Amino acid sequence: MSRQRLDPETITRMAMAVVDEGGLEALSLSAVAQRLGVGPSALYSHVDGLEGLHQLVAMGAMRNMVTEVRQAAIGVAGPGALESMGNAYRRFALEHPGQFRSTVAHPGPAGEGLAAAHDELLEVFALVYAGAGLDRTESAVAARQARSAIHGFVSLEACSGSTPDHDDHYSDLIALFSRALNRRRVR
Amino acid sequence: MSRQRLDPETITRMAMAVVDEGGLEALSLSAVAQRLGVGPSALYSHVDGLEGLHQLVAMGAMRNMVTEVRQAAIGVAGPGALESMGNAYRRFALEHPGQFRSTVAHPGPAGEGLAAAHDELLEVFALVYAGAGLDRTESAVAARQARSAIHGFVSLEACSGSTPDHDDHYSDLIALFSRALNRRRVR
DNA sequence: ACCTGAACACCGTTCAAGT
DNA sequence: ACCTGAACACCGTTCAAGT
């Protein structure tokens, strides 16, 4: 026997591949272990069971999301930035439905790390508003509202079998939150 | 043996009780069968396996949601109606997190019925806008946007361990979509 | 027609045993 | 320290058998 070398990062990467290919419900210790050429029980040396694996996948998904949304906002001015970020948000959900769903799954006992990741994504939105002149608390409020709307639209679209004729509605919805960028007022 | 009498309605009701008490991940054929005092295999005469049970729970949850949101809008004028509906939406998600999550789970092969239930909920929102003078298509667009925002906020709050100090942010978010009721214009 | 009970494959988890 | 392999409890599903 060739004594496999494992670590949490490798396991998480493999788990996310499973989720990308078979959806969130395909995630299991057995499936991941099989891809690694190892017995299921071997994973317990690095991961806190199935629940721990779910948490790692959710954290990885949030990290990917933050990366893409942040990248979409680079070098784009105010209202355009929000639309670009919204498009990146939506694209991620449609291309990686399993990862997307993992970010909003059960709260879980070790959910404080996930909550921090969500706050980090919120911070990306807040930076756009802060750049437009809104103060810290105003930016936080506007960011939460814009993110909620974007998340809700994308979430319902991903669930509803993706009828991709809602492009205009999505743009209009984002435009609604771009106004706070011009007027310096949310309400 | 007393020969249990089963039907899909009873099974669904029991399944939703399981989800209400133990969360969506507690739903299993075994758990439901046990509460009914019957073997797990007995359920296959009335329900299309675990996946079918999930669908029935999701449909029942949507029915409950439509009922509560519709009831919240009765006898309330324009902007107040939207806020009342938003509060009912939020309350349902916080009181029945398992049911709420079931409505937005995996698309599934038999998801056309669920999609219809979602459209029915959307119709409740559209009626408010139609009552304010918007035409059919305008109402549909406004309803979808308002619902998206409400759903996103509530969904993220329910996931994030429910820090209940976001009441003002939620009210402001809803108020943002009430303006279409006064101005007859969404953008 | 509908439920039982045995049967099977599969999964998560634990643990003694090896290296 | 870390992986194996056996072991256990549990679950979804099928099916022959009873009523």
Side-chain angles (χ1 to χ4, degrees):
Chain A
M1 293 306 165
S2 61
R3 275 306 196 126
Q4 280 292 137
R5 222 71 187 101
L6 294 180
D7 57 293
E9 289 73 25
T10 310
I11 294 173
T12 303
R13 202 181 326 120
M14 224 49 165
M16 295 183 72
V18 170
V19 168
D20 272 335
E21 295 180 20
L24 186 57
E25 35 279 326
L27 182 58
S28 69
L29 291 172
S30 300
V32 174
Q34 192 172 10
R35 292 210 186 196
L36 291 167
V38 86
S41 59
L43 302 180
Y44 282 83
S45 302
H46 310 278
V47 156
D48 189 19
L50 181 61
E51 185 118 3
L53 191 60
H54 264 104
Q55 281 288 335
L56 288 175
V57 168
M59 293 282 295
M62 281 305 300
R63 206 165 43 79
N64 288 344
M65 246 183 130
V66 168
T67 300
E68 297 210 14
V69 171
R70 181 176 281 148
Q71 204 166 42
I74 292 179
V76 191
L82 201 63
E83 181 160 8
S84 179
M85 290 162 66
N87 289 337
Y89 204 109
R90 189 185 184 199
R91 197 183 322 119
F92 182 85
L94 294 177
E95 290 179 357
H96 307 282
Q99 282 189 48
F100 182 71
R101 281 195 42 220
S102 79
T103 65
V104 77
H106 57 172
E112 66 276 354
L114 218 169
H118 275 271
D119 287 345
E120 195 181 343
L121 179 55
L122 217 50
E123 192 61 31
V124 180
F125 282 91
L127 281 177
V128 176
Y129 286 101
L134 278 73
D135 66 39
R136 195 172 175 79
T137 58
E138 284 176 334
S139 297
V141 173
R144 184 179 298 275
Q145 293 180 347
R147 213 273 265 214
S148 292
I150 287 172
H151 183 86
F153 188 99
V154 164
S155 183
L156 289 170
E157 184 185 38
C159 142
S160 193
S162 74
T163 32
D165 59 334
H166 299 324
D167 289 16
D168 295 345
H169 301 168
Y170 190 56
S171 296
D172 289 348
L173 181 62
I174 295 179
L176 206 62
F177 294 93
S178 296
R179 297 197 302 186
L181 290 168
N182 303 325
R183 302 190 182 181
R184 288 210 60 253
R185 225 38 184 120
V186 182
R187 35 190 356 207
Chain B
M1 293 308 162
S2 59
R3 275 305 197 129
Q4 280 293 135
R5 221 72 189 105
L6 294 181
D7 57 292
E9 289 72 27
T10 309
I11 294 173
T12 303
R13 200 179 332 119
M14 224 51 166
M16 295 183 70
V18 170
V19 168
D20 272 336
E21 295 182 19
L24 186 57
E25 34 280 326
L27 181 59
S28 69
L29 291 174
S30 300
V32 175
Q34 193 172 9
R35 293 210 185 196
L36 291 166
V38 88
S41 58
L43 303 180
Y44 282 83
S45 302
H46 310 277
V47 155
D48 190 19
L50 182 61
E51 184 119 6
L53 191 61
H54 263 104
Q55 282 288 334
L56 289 175
V57 168
M59 295 280 296
M62 282 304 300
R63 206 165 44 77
N64 289 344
M65 244 184 133
V66 167
T67 300
E68 296 212 14
V69 171
R70 180 177 283 148
Q71 204 164 43
I74 291 180
V76 192
L82 202 62
E83 181 159 7
S84 179
M85 290 162 66
N87 289 337
Y89 205 108
R90 190 186 184 198
R91 196 183 323 121
F92 182 84
L94 294 178
E95 290 179 357
H96 307 281
Q99 283 189 47
F100 181 72
R101 281 194 44 219
S102 78
T103 65
V104 76
H106 56 171
E112 65 275 355
L114 217 168
H118 275 271
D119 287 345
E120 195 182 343
L121 180 55
L122 216 51
E123 191 62 31
V124 180
F125 282 90
L127 281 177
V128 176
Y129 285 102
L134 278 73
D135 66 39
R136 196 173 175 77
T137 58
E138 284 175 335
S139 297
V141 172
R144 184 180 300 275
Q145 293 179 346
R147 212 274 265 213
S148 292
I150 287 172
H151 182 87
F153 188 98
V154 165
S155 183
L156 289 169
E157 185 186 36
C159 142
S160 194
S162 73
T163 32
D165 59 336
H166 300 323
D167 287 17
D168 295 344
H169 301 166
Y170 190 55
S171 296
D172 290 348
L173 180 63
I174 295 179
L176 206 62
F177 293 93
S178 296
R179 297 197 301 184
L181 289 169
N182 302 325
R183 302 188 182 182
R184 288 207 60 253
R185 226 41 184 116
V186 181
R187 34 184 1 199

